[in-house]
Amino acid sequence: MWGILRQKAGGVTGLSSQGLGNQMLRLRPVASAMRSYSSATKEMTVRDALNSALDEEMAADPNVFVMGEEVGEYQGAYKITKGLLDKYGPERVVDTPITEAGFAGIGVGSAYHGLRPVIEFMTFNFSMQAIDHVINSAAKSNYMSAGQINVPIVFRGPNGPAAGVGAQHSQCYGAWFGAVPGLKVLVPYSSEDARGLLKAAIRDPDPVVFLENELLYGESFPVSAEVLDSSFCLPIGKAKIEREGKDVTITAFSKMVGYALKAAEILEKDGINAEVINLRSIRPLDRATINASVRKTNRLVTVEEGFPQHGIGAEICASVVEDSFGYLDAPVERIAGADVPTPYAANLERMAFPQIEDIVRAAKRACYRSPMAANAS
Amino acid sequence: MYSLYREPGVLLWRGFTMQEFANQCFGNNIGHGKGRQMPIHYGSKKLNYITISSPLATQLPQAVGMAYSLKMDKKDACVVAFFGDGTTSEGDFHAALNFAAVMDAPVVFICRNNGWAISTQVTEQFRSDGVVVKGQAYGIPSIRVDGNDALAVYNVVRSARETAINEQRPILIEAMTYRVSHHSTSDDSTKYRSKDVIEYWNTVHSPITRLRNWVERKGWWSDKEESELRIHTMKQVKHAIDEAEKEEMPLLRDMFTDVYDDLPSNLMEQETLVRETIQRHPKDFPKDMPL
């Protein structure tokens, strides 16, 4: 029924995007339904967005505390926790020895007792040394204890590739954590995402894996007064349509949202009107928004930096095939990182991750605008 | 040799050339590393130096495993594993020591206790009496040495190696020193410690100064030779860097090789696809892409 409504509504020009949004997704709180930044006078970096979100949540709830390597005295390996030690003291901003398994385990234990830890992994690549605590304890305890032990913990840190950091610092763990029931997995892109989703994560009673991106920390985005308010919060499990379009749907998360938007601009010049969806949440995945979009555009391109096999794109493709098969006019195009451990050399690294041109070509393929040799172009 | 990331000196001693160091850092085509690993993550099969891995302490149980295999093969050899004070907090450190003791593995653990792990001082890293007692706790003969005394370190390590091989058991050495440099080029340690302290350790207790004084007192060295050596080495380093910079980047093929022993069909297909794409859309790819 949604598909039909979409098609009807989509055919009527002059309907504002806002109206459409409110009609289709009436469960969405008013806050995130407002796409236009009516009073966007301020710009904020993602780093400051995360920092302010942590600051506000720590001020609001004395149970919230931060723990990790270099988070206190050093102001954070990437300065996300800057100023927090001075403001809240060493009891609430805890510098730890180099023991991921240790502090992840300690965090989980403290969460069992009712504290609300925010555990920082210097990079999620190092979470591998603590992954048992995240999966076997944090994710599964509420279920295994029949609801008696909930784990209001947040694991956060940079995820995926930065620039020139090699195989052990570049893997995207979205697919791995996204596969586990019991976890929530969030992937902010803009400063608004960073603030709203981190606050939501901290307030959430369930364990949340919060995947940031090192290269986004320094990027600035406009933020409205509403986003800057300390009560601002984004719902978990809702994707955002960053750019409306009618010809092809492009799903992306984290840094790839920026790339997808740039690709959309290039595609516009070639007469292809792309809709870009910022996933914001890998688990729960907003299948409703994705499917509604594909039912409107009939074509899908998924973008991610992680390895292709068993990746986010694979799940999205399966979901669309299950729910909206009849609406697809072309096979789903899946763009992912190369199936190799990330090389360090700059030229090889560039080839190992999606570039804007790759997204443009895939969208054209999906729109049958390029020569259809098997898998080519 | 299983190192952490502050032991290029060991590799240099073994015979890794200045040029090879530069090639690895630049990630160029002729470096042994084929542009795969980050700078300072050296390795050399020829010199028995395992390629550096970033996650801390993971090399320690691996060192024990390798030592065990040397033991099984009855080789007249042992494994040396380097790490810092911070690494001793990781779980793998404890697993490694325990296993080494129980399996009587001929491994020499050398801890460079330089007082700092990025900005974390040892007092915030552990409350034990350093690292030497941890070795003892696991039943490993352990010794603490002045890490800034080159002769003492030499004697200790030589003795440790003999014991490890002849008695087929692990040894732990804690070399006390001080990290005068920043943690890395991304760090400014004056933000968390005083310049005076750094200066003090860099001059008064510098292991280089101490050894030099001793060698000069023996009449084997002079100021003139010192300055000649410095000039010569600077030239060598600069030359290596210049040469490395000139070299080509790694070939496209090197992105797909060595994922597995043999190149699997899906990667062969990917490589073909990439080449076709580059041919068809050359403007989408940088010009300096060696194919």
Side-chain angles (χ1 to χ4, degrees):
Chain A
M1 193 201 76
W2 270 28
I4 297 167
L5 264 177
R6 269 283 184 191
Q7 280 170 8
K8 274 197 183 152
V12 179
T13 54
L15 250 190
S16 78
S17 57
Q18 209 158 314
L20 205 57
N22 278 333
Q23 183 183 343
M24 294 318 301
L25 303 156
R26 53 186 107 85
L27 291 175
R28 213 188 237 188
V30 176
S32 58
M34 297 207 310
R35 284 185 59 245
S36 56
Y37 302 112
S38 49
S39 53
T41 46
K42 200 167 184 252
E43 288 242 326
M44 190 184 231
T45 60
V46 171
R47 177 178 285 115
D48 287 340
L50 294 168
N51 184 268
S52 59
L54 280 170
D55 194 351
E56 286 161 22
E57 293 306 302
M58 288 178 79
D61 184 349
N63 284 324
V64 177
F65 73 100
V66 172
M67 184 156 63
E69 294 157 6
E70 308 293 331
V71 294
E73 288 277 356
Y74 198 67
Q75 311 297 321
Y78 297 102
K79 307 293 178 262
I80 306 299
T81 50
K82 186 170 180 184
L84 296 181
L85 177 66
D86 281 342
K87 195 165 171 186
Y88 297 101
E91 300 242 303
R92 295 185 65 197
V93 181
V94 182
D95 275 325
T96 67
I98 308 178
T99 322
E100 283 75 13
F103 61 76
I106 290 166
V108 171
S110 72
Y112 284 172
H113 192 68
L115 290 180
R116 304 189 87 93
V118 178
I119 303 296
E120 176 174 306
F121 287 120
M122 204 177 276
T123 141
F124 266 91
N125 291 266
F126 300 158
S127 74
M128 296 297 96
Q129 296 182 288
I131 197 168
D132 179 83
H133 288 294
V134 180
I135 309 290
N136 275 333
S137 294
K140 301 178 184 174
S141 285
N142 198 38
Y143 186 79
M144 297 190 303
S145 70
Q148 291 172 59
I149 306 179
N150 76 310
V151 194
I153 192 169
V154 175
F155 297 101
R156 52 156 293 274
N159 173 60
V165 287
Q168 293 166 330
H169 291 78
S170 303
Q171 189 167 338
C172 173
Y173 289 90
W176 286 27
F177 289 118
V180 182
L183 285 181
K184 291 180 179 165
V185 181
L186 301 179
V187 280
Y189 161 63
S190 63
S191 301
E192 177 187 330
D193 291 354
R195 266 185 65 81
L197 293 176
L198 186 55
K199 278 162 161 297
I202 294 173
R203 296 179 198 177
D204 200 283
D206 295 316
V208 180
V209 171
F210 195 82
L211 304 175
E212 302 158 5
N213 184 287
E214 189 196 320
L215 296 180
L216 285 178
Y217 285 152
E219 265 199 49
S220 263
F221 294 87
V223 283
S224 66
E226 190 209 340
V227 171
L228 291 172
D229 188 70
S230 66
S231 66
F232 178 66
C233 202
L234 284 174
I236 290 180
K238 284 270 166 263
K240 179 184 179 191
I241 299 182
E242 292 283 348
R243 182 190 204 276
E244 286 210 353
K246 55 176 178 51
D247 294 330
V248 60
T249 299
I250 305 178
T251 63
F253 61 93
S254 189
K255 196 170 100 212
M256 289 291 109
V257 175
Y259 279 40
L261 288 170
K262 294 211 178 75
E265 278 169 31
I266 296 174
L267 287 164
E268 195 67 54
K269 298 200 184 87
D270 283 326
I272 296 177
N273 188 232
E275 176 149 294
V276 176
I277 300 182
N278 170 4
L279 291 178
R280 281 185 166 173
S281 175
I282 286 176
R283 179 178 267 268
L285 191 60
D286 190 352
R287 299 168 204 279
T289 299
I290 297 168
N291 276 283
S293 174
V294 173
R295 289 175 180 215
K296 178 174 78 170
T297 65
N298 313 121
R299 296 161 202 278
L300 175 62
V301 175
T302 68
V303 186
E304 68 197 290
E305 292 182 290
F307 301 129
Q309 190 164 340
H310 311 301
I312 312 290
E315 175 60 34
I316 293 176
C317 178
S319 169
V320 164
V321 164
E322 281 165 6
D323 292 342
S324 312
F325 183 66
Y327 292 83
L328 282 171
D329 284 349
V332 175
E333 290 280 343
R334 178 174 57 154
I335 301 177
D339 198 28
V340 300
T342 307
Y344 160 72
N347 64 325
L348 297 184
E349 188 189 22
R350 190 199 174 285
M351 302 297 296
F353 290 111
Q355 303 299 329
I356 297 171
E357 298 79 32
D358 295 310
I359 305 176
V360 170
R361 283 198 300 270
K364 285 184 177 172
R365 281 197 301 272
C367 294
Y368 298 126
R369 299 288 192 87
S370 64
M372 278 304 287
N375 299 326
S377 133
Chain B
M1 307 247 85
Y2 273 88
S3 293
L4 188 64
Y5 47 56
R6 283 200 204 288
E7 300 84 12
V10 175
L11 194 52
L12 191 66
W13 173 254
R14 288 217 147 176
F16 210 60
T17 64
M18 231 28 120
Q19 192 59 61
E20 285 173 307
F21 275 111
N23 288 337
Q24 198 280 331
C25 278
F26 276 83
N28 64 25
N29 194 18
I30 59 170
H32 92 291
K34 299 183 193 169
R36 300 267 173 74
Q37 255 292 30
M38 294 173 66
I40 69 127
H41 285 63
Y42 316 106
S44 169
K45 186 164 184 178
K46 188 177 60 161
L47 303 174
N48 286 342
Y49 194 96
I50 302 279
T51 306
I52 309 279
S53 174
S54 308
L56 296 177
T58 54
Q59 79 274 26
L60 300 179
Q62 291 165 9
V64 175
M66 180 155 284
Y68 190 69
S69 116
L70 289 175
K71 183 189 179 80
M72 293 277 95
D73 285 345
K74 296 194 176 25
K75 290 253 197 293
D76 173 25
C78 68
V79 174
V80 177
F82 289 90
F83 50 96
D85 42 284
T87 303
T88 65
S89 294
E90 287 283 9
D92 274 344
F93 167 77
H94 301 273
L97 259 57
N98 197 36
F99 271 88
V102 166
M103 293 162 88
D104 291 315
V107 52
V108 178
F109 294 105
I110 301 184
C111 175
R112 291 174 289 97
N113 185 340
N114 65 14
W116 294 93
I118 307 188
S119 77
T120 308
Q121 293 180 69
V122 283
T123 44
E124 289 156 1
Q125 193 67 250
F126 43 67
R127 289 295 160 83
S128 56
D129 177 12
V131 175
V132 69
V133 295
K134 297 189 203 193
Q136 280 178 330
Y138 286 105
I140 296 176
S142 306
I143 185 167
R144 169 176 287 153
V145 65
D146 176 358
N148 288 348
D149 180 341
L151 300 178
V153 173
Y154 175 78
N155 282 321
V156 163
V157 175
R158 190 171 68 168
S159 168
R161 183 183 174 277
E162 269 170 31
T163 312
I165 295 178
N166 296 339
E167 291 177 38
Q168 289 289 297
R169 62 191 310 191
I171 307 284
L172 178 97
I173 299 171
E174 182 183 13
M176 307 300 292
T177 178
Y178 188 83
R179 193 194 80 203
V180 296
S181 65
H182 305 305
H183 168 71
S184 71
T185 51
S186 318
D187 178 40
D188 174 12
S189 60
T190 56
K191 291 226 159 81
Y192 50 81
R193 56 181 182 173
S194 85
K195 288 195 179 123
D196 297 333
V197 176
I198 303 173
E199 197 45 37
Y200 173 80
W201 282 94
N202 207 9
T203 49
V204 175
H205 278 290
S206 161
I208 299 171
T209 312
R210 286 166 69 179
L211 181 65
R212 183 178 154 186
N213 288 342
W214 183 79
V215 168
E216 280 179 352
R217 271 203 303 275
K218 290 272 184 184
W220 299 333
W221 197 248
S222 68
D223 278 346
K224 179 165 164 298
E225 281 160 307
E226 171 85 13
S227 82
E228 273 170 13
L229 180 65
R230 277 180 190 267
I231 293 171
H232 171 77
T233 313
M234 288 276 275
K235 277 204 192 119
Q236 237 190 337
V237 171
K238 183 155 193 323
H239 176 78
I241 291 176
D242 288 339
E243 289 300 301
E245 216 168 8
K246 283 189 209 141
E247 289 293 337
E248 274 203 336
M249 300 289 254
L251 302 172
L252 181 65
R253 173 176 32 95
D254 283 333
M255 186 169 135
F256 297 100
T257 51
D258 303 323
V259 179
Y260 294 97
D261 200 39
D262 285 324
L263 194 58
S265 61
N266 73 312
L267 288 182
M268 277 196 265
E269 277 171 32
Q270 284 204 16
E271 189 185 338
T272 311
L273 176 58
V274 170
R275 285 182 191 280
E276 282 174 6
T277 310
I278 295 176
Q279 266 194 315
R280 207 167 287 169
H281 303 272
K283 58 174 173 45
D284 282 352
F285 295 91
K287 304 267 182 304
D288 67 345
M289 187 82 67
L291 296 171

